[in-house]
Amino acid sequence: MGTILGLCFLLLLSFSHVAFSGRCNPEDKKVLLQIKKDLNNPYLLASWNPETACCDWYCVECDPKTHRITSLIISSSVPETNFSGQIPPSVGDLPYLQVLEFHKLPKLTGPIQPAIAKLTNLRWLILTWTNISGPIPDFLSELPNLQWLHLSFNNPTGPIPSSLSKLPNLIDLRLDRNRLTGPIPDSFGSFKKPGIDLTLSHNQLSGPIPTSLGLIDPNRIDFSRNMLEGDASMLFGVNKTTEMIDLSRNLLTFDMSKVELPTSLISLDLNHNQIYGSIPQELIKVDFLQAFNVSYNRLCGEIPQGGRLQRFQVDTYFHNRCLCGSPLPSCK
């Protein structure tokens, strides 16, 4: 008798799963099929069969109660995929979408579609490793719930729009490995969320770092491999909680001996700049420093003895004007 009841219970669970997964909002389904058509019916979306429920399709997720599409993540590890075209404007017709991601799609081209501005519930916008081009549009600042904006490894050109600082909930901005030009916007000193990650590396950004950035307390800053110049001391501060700063391979010029370093630092990379002065004695108090590089600068004086500074290799310090002391040759 117990076996029969157990089988009935399993059948009931199976039926419940089919009943749940079989649900699909007809309007969302219509939009998804249009997206598939606009992308030339790629094999990647072969499961998008109009005869089946869209909540069962690959690349999408539904809200378990409303059965509306909340996530659309299209990614491919196969370069030969027939996935091609531009970002379909119809993505803007998924009003409950919280996550939109197109990743590793080299045949995805064209601009970032204005229709994305309609996705007011969007929290993650990730367009990475594609061939989208054109400017980064101002309308992205109209997404009030956006937390992650990743536009890395693409072909956008032109300046970074200052309007991005209006995003009230942004905690992670990645614009690295594009072809962006011009300065870092002065408005970036007004980001609302503490602990924001700012990754702008591997572009062609130029000019000074805005002094306004001294007003924020980011978790991570990566401005490496640009053409930034002048002072960067405003990014530091003994009262900040920043864990990672990478300013390597720029044209920065400032006195490092006057910099007050946050004790929260885990990684600090300043190599290939024109930084002068000496390494601050306070750096020995940074207990969790795991990565450090000041090579190819104009630093002088003795490397502070103690803390973690002697654990790094010689190449951390070499090609400076007159640095000395362990692990470099002793000072005379």
Side-chain angles (χ1 to χ4, degrees):
M1 182 71 175
T3 303
I4 296 174
L5 288 174
L7 287 173
C8 290
F9 180 69
L10 288 174
L11 286 171
L12 178 62
L13 284 179
S14 177
F15 175 78
S16 298
H17 172 73
V18 171
F20 165 72
S21 64
R23 297 176 184 247
C24 176
N25 181 273
E27 291 301 316
D28 288 353
K29 185 175 188 177
K30 181 179 178 181
V31 171
L32 290 174
L33 290 173
Q34 183 61 48
I35 290 172
K36 179 181 179 181
K37 180 180 178 181
D38 291 342
L39 294 172
N40 296 314
N41 299 305
Y43 178 74
L44 190 62
L45 305 180
S47 69
W48 292 19
N49 184 336
E51 302 303 319
T52 61
C54 61
C55 289
D56 290 336
W57 295 352
Y58 291 143
C59 305
V60 301
E61 291 183 10
C62 290
D63 183 278
K65 294 182 178 180
T66 66
H67 314 295
R68 301 303 299 258
I69 301 297
T70 58
S71 175
L72 175 60
I73 300 176
I74 302 179
S75 175
S76 176
S77 58
V78 183
E80 293 78 20
T81 180
N82 63 332
F83 191 109
S84 63
Q86 299 188 13
I87 298 173
S90 48
V91 297
D93 297 325
L94 295 171
Y96 293 89
L97 204 63
Q98 297 179 24
V99 177
L100 176 61
E101 177 175 350
F102 291 93
H103 176 63
K104 284 195 174 181
L105 302 168
K107 294 184 180 180
L108 187 69
T109 59
I112 299 174
Q113 289 290 347
I116 290 176
K118 296 191 293 182
L119 301 174
T120 56
N121 289 302
L122 203 63
R123 295 183 180 181
W124 289 18
L125 176 59
I126 302 175
L127 309 175
T128 51
W129 295 84
T130 76
N131 271 304
I132 60 173
S133 57
I136 295 176
D138 276 313
F139 61 71
L140 295 179
S141 65
E142 301 172 15
L143 300 171
N145 293 298
L146 199 64
Q147 298 175 352
W148 284 30
L149 177 57
H150 292 189
L151 304 177
S152 307
F153 291 90
N154 297 299
N155 286 312
T157 54
I160 299 173
S162 61
S163 58
L164 295 182
S165 64
K166 297 178 182 179
L167 291 166
N169 294 296
L170 194 66
I171 59 174
D172 196 340
L173 176 63
R174 300 186 186 182
L175 305 178
D176 54 302
R177 297 178 188 270
N178 291 304
R179 294 189 291 162
L180 301 173
T181 56
I184 297 173
D186 183 69
S187 64
F188 276 22
S190 60
F191 279 113
K192 297 294 187 293
K193 284 286 185 180
I196 189 172
D197 285 2
L198 294 176
T199 305
L200 310 178
S201 65
H202 295 78
N203 280 290
Q204 300 167 34
L205 302 176
S206 58
I209 296 173
T211 58
S212 63
L213 267 65
L215 301 175
I216 61 174
D217 185 14
N219 178 65
R220 172 189 172 99
I221 293 175
D222 188 353
F223 295 166
S224 63
R225 294 181 182 266
N226 282 290
M227 297 180 290
L228 301 170
E229 58 190 36
D231 192 6
S233 60
M234 81 292 292
L235 300 178
F236 303 90
V238 69
N239 294 320
K240 293 195 176 187
T241 59
T242 307
E243 295 183 351
M244 182 270 189
I245 298 177
D246 189 346
L247 305 175
S248 61
R249 296 183 181 271
N250 279 287
L251 304 170
L252 298 169
T253 305
F254 60 94
D255 187 347
M256 190 173 180
S257 62
K258 296 182 179 180
V259 168
E260 295 183 331
L261 296 169
T263 56
S264 54
L265 274 177
I266 296 174
S267 176
L268 176 60
D269 194 343
L270 303 174
N271 80 81
H272 284 83
N273 280 287
Q274 300 169 21
I275 302 168
Y276 58 93
S278 58
I279 297 175
Q281 184 71 25
E282 290 73 18
L283 196 54
I284 65 174
K285 301 177 183 178
V286 182
D287 296 330
F288 301 103
L289 193 65
Q290 298 175 12
F292 182 59
N293 194 339
V294 291
S295 63
Y296 290 92
N297 279 291
R298 300 177 180 178
L299 297 171
C300 273
E302 183 176 6
I303 298 170
Q305 302 299 299
R308 305 181 65 86
L309 296 183
Q310 278 64 55
R311 302 185 184 187
F312 300 109
Q313 300 297 318
V314 171
D315 57 4
T316 291
Y317 302 102
F318 68 8
H319 284 278
N320 275 284
R321 179 171 290 170
C322 47
L323 272 185
C324 58
S326 177
L328 297 177
S330 61
C331 302
K332 296 181 179 179

